[in-house]
Amino acid sequence: MKKYNIGVDIGASHVSCGLYNIYEKRLEHKIYLLNKMDKTIEIEKSTKKFIEIIKSLIDNLQKECKFEFNEVSSIGLACPGGNIKEEGIFLGSRSLNVTKINWRIALEKYGTKVFTENDCTCAGICEYYINAWDEFVMFTLGSGLGISYMKNGKCISEVGWDISKLNKRVGEKYDKYINSFEGLSKRYNRIKNKKYARTEIFRCIEKNDIDAKILLQEYIRNFIGGIKKIESVYGIGKYSIGGGMSEYDNYFFDKIKENLPGIDIRIAKYKNDSGIIGATMLEYIQWNIYVRVLKRWIDKLEKIAYYITIILKRRAKKMNREKELRSKIKYRGFGCVTITTR
């Protein structure tokens, strides 16, 4: 068994890359860079540039950690939006100004297995293994809002889309109950007529900025309202919060938790690193899928074998009866028989 997996978490604000030690079950090292994709250039050129950025990030991780790629079992990529995960294809993103990328071809120089999945789902996979939850909703609060409904380690897209619809506020065309970190920051910037970084709102709260405090209180109320609305329809009862905003949970999480009694809501254990760690687990998820498929086929074969055994037993029983009957028949000539009985 190889020692490492590499996880790459692709976000609109930055890209993170981490080395996960399979034996010790921990993230050994992480590097990241700010995402400064030029949205004015042609999308094909932008896509090629983005691929080179990801490769250079993986190369830098190797230089800093001094590992060999023959020690790496797989590379997993947590990508925003849609993926064809069976083929390792990322369908692209307007916010990144990139089109479809086949990561298995793009990263073939590393000579290892490559897997892709939605970024929020990767965070959910990480939480699934840590909390041993069979069913829960994963939120990632970052540049965008990620919502994944997780069941037995898999994202059920249909339910996730329905929860996204429930999250829209009635009468508010572009508003949501549960919003992203970026959404909160943009509102604050509009109030202040500034272009602050998204973390600035928390620094301003420390300085007793009234606007920042009121805005965060409104955010918390809306978040609670969103959870209650989802609960009224699905009654899931378990929620996990990751993404960049989870790093500042001391400003908002206690208020959310105390206003949702009877609901198990948590900050993701690895917070904004959940996506990277979940990406490193994609290989195991794939193997689990193979195992489940194999188990279903074995179950079917066992049932077939069971019914064949029953049929053969009945046939053998019938043949034995016929044999016994023949042994009791004595021919007397001219078509006459005598059947002896006990």
Side-chain angles (χ1 to χ4, degrees), residues 117-241:
E117 181 55 276
N118 172 267
D119 52 354
C120 183
T121 300
C122 282
I125 288 167
C126 179
E127 286 297 287
Y128 164 74
Y129 279 105
I130 289 165
N131 295 321
W133 280 351
D134 292 333
E135 181 184 20
F136 67 101
V137 177
M138 184 76 215
F139 296 112
T140 48
L141 313 176
S143 300
L145 170 67
I147 302 175
S148 286
Y149 168 72
M150 305 295 296
K151 191 164 186 178
N152 298 323
K154 290 177 65 179
C155 174
I156 311 300
S157 301
E158 295 80 4
V159 180
W161 281 114
D162 196 34
I163 290 171
S164 297
K165 291 175 185 175
L166 290 171
N167 191 42
K168 291 179 181 177
R169 298 178 67 183
V170 177
E172 300 283 346
K173 189 176 180 182
Y174 299 107
D175 208 359
K176 302 170 184 175
Y177 287 100
I178 300 166
N179 216 324
S180 66
F181 194 4
E182 184 72 15
L184 175 65
S185 176
K186 281 182 177 178
R187 286 187 180 184
Y188 184 62
N189 283 342
R190 281 198 297 269
I191 291 169
K192 293 297 187 182
N193 195 26
K194 298 284 186 180
K195 291 185 178 180
Y196 290 135
R198 67 175 72 156
T199 56
E200 190 63 26
I201 186 170
F202 296 119
R203 294 193 184 93
C204 292
I205 286 170
E206 291 293 333
K207 297 174 185 175
N208 290 315
D209 184 293
I210 299 300
D211 291 328
K213 286 184 174 181
I214 290 171
L215 193 60
L216 185 62
Q217 287 168 4
E218 181 188 350
Y219 182 92
I220 291 168
R221 282 196 305 272
N222 289 338
F223 196 106
I224 293 165
I227 296 292
K228 287 180 176 178
K229 190 176 179 184
I230 295 165
E231 277 296 291
S232 69
V233 176
Y234 283 101
I236 296 163
K238 294 176 181 176
Y239 300 85
S240 186
I241 303 170

Side-chain angles (χ1 to χ4, degrees), residues 20-32:
Y20 187 79
N21 190 311
I22 299 168
Y23 297 151
E24 299 175 12
K25 295 183 178 180
R26 67 182 180 88
L27 193 65
E28 275 199 6
H29 189 65
K30 178 186 75 170
I31 59 175
Y32 77 96

Side-chain angles (χ1 to χ4, degrees), residues 30 181 242-252 267 270-273:
K30 178 186 75 170
F181 194 4
M245 194 166 169
S246 65
E247 299 286 347
Y248 301 88
D249 61 301
N250 55 305
Y251 289 97
F252 65 90
I267 293 294
Y270 295 105
K271 298 186 177 179
N272 202 25
D273 287 342

